[in-house]
Structure formats: C-alpha cells, structure tokens
Amino acid sequence: CMRYRYVNVTAPRAFSKTFISILAMILMCVFRPGIKVFICAPAKEQSAKIAKEKILEILEIYPLLEKEIFSKNFSGDYIRVTFRNGSIFDVCAALDTTRGGRRNAGLIDEYRDHNGDDLNEIVLPLMNINRKMKNGAVNPYEPQQCQLWMSYEEKKNSYGYNKLIEHFEN
C-alpha cells in the first residue's frame, strides 16, 4: 500500500496475512504524518480483538515502534492508536453508525465474509479524502485512498471473487 492504491492479499489460513497487513498499516502511519487508517473485519468486536492482538505482538517484536506511538486505547470493541506525528489507526465496522467518517486508507479484513453492499455503501465511502501534507497540499506522488483487501480462498461468482478479479485487472 506504500506504492499502490489497491493491494489484495489472498493466501491460505495461518499465513500471517493479518500480521503483515497491520504492520503495513502501522508503518503507513509512521511514514505518512497525519494519515487516518482503519481496519474493518466482519464484526467490530472481531476487528478490535484482531487489531489489539496483532498491534501488541508487533510492538513486542519491534519495540522501537513504541516510541512512535503517543497513545493507545484498547477497550472492548474500540481501538485507537494515535502516533506522535498525528496519524491515527482505529477500528471501523460496516454499520450505519460508521457513515460520515473520513479516513485516508483502510484494511478490509476477511472481505469474503463481509456483506458486499455494506462495504460499498458504508466502508468504501470512508476513504473519499486525500491525505494532506503539513503545508495543506496533496502529494501528487503518493497513492491516495489506499485499500488493503485481505482474505483467504474465495468461491467463484461471489462478491469477494469479483473484487479479487477487479483488483487483478486494475
């Protein structure tokens, strides 16, 4: 997601897809000041549990990343990590209460289990703004509105399979 607008990660179970994807989102927060990124799993509690587990695991393996973090808030179905450079990593859900929010990039976890209509109508519209630099300009060389799609095998003629083909063609 550092170079491309769409990244689709499809691999079998137990291949560290979520670990690598969340590490990518954390690094995006570190290297792009003021960016707002999210993770969205089929259930908000599932998103929070996955994010908390992987964030703590990443910080244990790479302790220097802890110095980039200003605050961490882990509670129930809510996760918010604020970085010293103003970047934010939080959890969203494909619920009506999420409508109207704004983010610059997102990880859609296990998209094969999501409702395609909810993703299209609620989650994807979150990423309709570009990240602005400190001077207020948009970097023309930076991919904007990055989407990381992560899942495992998919059946043909489903929303997830069609999304995989769409990303492949793009």
Side-chain angles (χ1 to χ4, degrees), residues 38-69:
F38 69 89
I39 178 175
C40 178
K44 191 169 184 184
E45 297 83 19
Q46 180 184 6
S47 295
K49 180 181 174 199
I50 292 167
K52 179 181 178 184
E53 179 182 311
K54 297 304 173 191
I55 289 169
L56 294 176
E57 186 178 347
I58 288 166
L59 294 177
E60 185 176 317
I61 295 170
Y62 305 105
L64 281 177
L65 286 176
E66 186 79 47
K67 295 191 181 292
E68 299 291 336
I69 294 174

Side-chain angles (χ1 to χ4, degrees), residues 139-151:
N139 184 347
Y141 304 106
E142 176 183 313
Q144 300 291 335
Q145 303 168 11
C146 290
Q147 300 174 18
L148 215 70
W149 293 73
M150 200 270 311
S151 193

Side-chain angles (χ1 to χ4, degrees), residues 13-38:
R13 289 201 167 282
F15 258 69
S16 300
K17 297 180 301 287
T18 306
F19 178 89
I20 292 168
S21 300
I22 289 180
L23 177 60
M25 300 304 275
I26 289 172
L27 292 176
M28 194 183 300
C29 287
V30 170
F31 295 127
R32 294 182 182 175
I35 196 168
K36 294 179 182 177
V37 302
F38 69 89

Side-chain angles (χ1 to χ4, degrees), residues 13 17-18 22 38-55 74-79 89-95 107-115 150-152:
R13 289 201 167 282
K17 297 180 301 287
T18 306
I22 289 180
F38 69 89
I39 178 175
C40 178
K44 191 169 184 184
E45 297 83 19
Q46 180 184 6
S47 295
K49 180 181 174 199
I50 292 167
K52 179 181 178 184
E53 179 182 311
K54 297 304 173 191
I55 289 169
F74 302 123
S75 62
D77 65 352
Y78 181 78
I79 298 282
F89 178 35
D90 67 356
V91 170
C92 291
L95 302 171
L107 164 61
I108 296 138
D109 192 22
E110 300 297 354
Y111 65 86
R112 72 181 302 258
D113 298 331
H114 278 277
N115 178 318
M150 200 270 311
S151 193
Y152 56 99

